[in-house]
Amino acid sequence: MRLLITAGPTREPIDPVRFLSNRSSGRMGYALATAAHAAGHEVLLISGPVTLSPPSGVQLIRVETAREMFDAVRTHLPGCSAAIFSAAVADYRPAQAATQKIKKSATTLTLELERTEDILGSVRSTFGFTGFLVGFAAETENLIPHAQAKLQRKGCDLIVANDVSQSGIGFDRTENEVTLCLPGGHTIPLPRQSKTSIADELIQFISSRV
């Protein structure tokens, strides 16, 4: 199948040298792209800024901001049988980025923020995607309830939920521990293991459902 995957963080500029971002390394998304290619699928990887080497045999599109990722997904989603949204997209960006470096002068600095594009939430309603849709939920509390609510709200077939408050797993780590949340309140826990192993299991699971 043709599979679209998003990975990594986004960067939302404050001025020419500063930005808002998060701790995502992109390892999970890159592992998914590698596993999907190894399973024989055609893979399109839309990646925010990371330090990882591009996966072999995968079409890579690099973006910086949430808006750029939104546009790339809208362009490349048609024709895909499944889509996995593992990128940690910034929820907010500065309403107005400064054109010159902001100098350190005042004791405090107030930034006005605005919501970024809801990429996952647009896949069904705006882009008209009818394939198998997978989202990720990184939470620090009420993991399963929040993930199940997201699954329904975004129209997903699967949400991969992980508790990023736990030490040693999640953002910027090589290991993770996740729970697959499915419609009807069904859950499948995947124990702590390497992100590579989790990616292999996820690709096998998704392939069996498409």
Side-chain angles (χ1 to χ4, degrees):
M1 62 181 170
R2 180 172 171 82
L3 178 62
L4 182 145
I5 300 172
T6 68
T10 62
R11 292 177 176 175
E12 310 303 324
I14 296 172
D15 64 18
V17 299
R18 302 179 181 94
F19 53 80
L20 298 179
S21 192
N22 55 63
R23 294 171 52 198
S24 173
S25 66
R27 287 191 180 100
M28 191 71 251
Y30 275 58
L32 285 164
T34 299
H37 174 68
H41 303 304
E42 178 186 353
V43 183
L44 174 66
L45 176 62
I46 301 175
S47 173
V50 299
T51 59
L52 304 172
S53 300
S56 176
V58 169
Q59 182 182 353
L60 176 63
I61 297 174
R62 299 184 186 274
V63 298
E64 281 270 335
T65 67
R67 181 170 289 149
E68 290 174 355
M69 186 170 284
F70 179 90
D71 290 339
V73 169
R74 178 170 54 187
T75 298
H76 296 283
L77 191 59
C80 292
S81 301
I84 307 174
F85 289 84
S86 65
V89 181
D91 294 320
Y92 292 89
R93 62 171 163 250
Q96 184 65 49
T99 58
Q100 301 296 328
K101 179 184 176 182
I102 299 172
K103 296 297 184 181
K104 183 170 64 175
S105 55
T107 304
T108 62
L109 174 67
T110 300
L111 292 176
E112 181 183 357
L113 304 180
E114 64 181 14
R115 286 283 300 271
T116 57
E117 290 78 7
D118 183 356
I119 299 174
L120 181 59
S122 299
V123 172
R124 297 290 196 208
S125 60
T126 303
F127 304 154
F129 181 67
T130 58
F132 195 85
L133 181 59
V134 182
F136 273 64
E139 305 289 349
T140 59
E141 60 180 357
N142 300 321
L143 178 65
I144 302 306
H146 284 166
Q148 290 286 3
K150 185 174 185 177
L151 180 131
Q152 295 181 26
R153 191 170 65 252
K154 308 290 186 178
C156 292
D157 299 293
L158 168 66
I159 287 286
V160 182
N162 66 301
D163 184 349
V164 294
S165 68
Q166 296 188 49
S167 62
I169 63 172
F171 284 144
D172 204 23
R173 303 291 183 177
T174 59
E175 292 186 330
N176 210 348
E177 178 181 331
V178 303
T179 300
L180 308 188
C181 296
L182 302 162
H186 302 295
T187 60
I188 302 173
L190 298 184
R192 180 168 177 166
Q193 57 191 299
S194 71
K195 289 183 176 179
T196 300
S197 296
I198 288 179
D200 288 338
E201 290 196 45
L202 281 174
I203 293 301
Q204 290 177 24
F205 182 86
I206 293 166
S207 299
S208 71
R209 296 297 182 103
V210 177

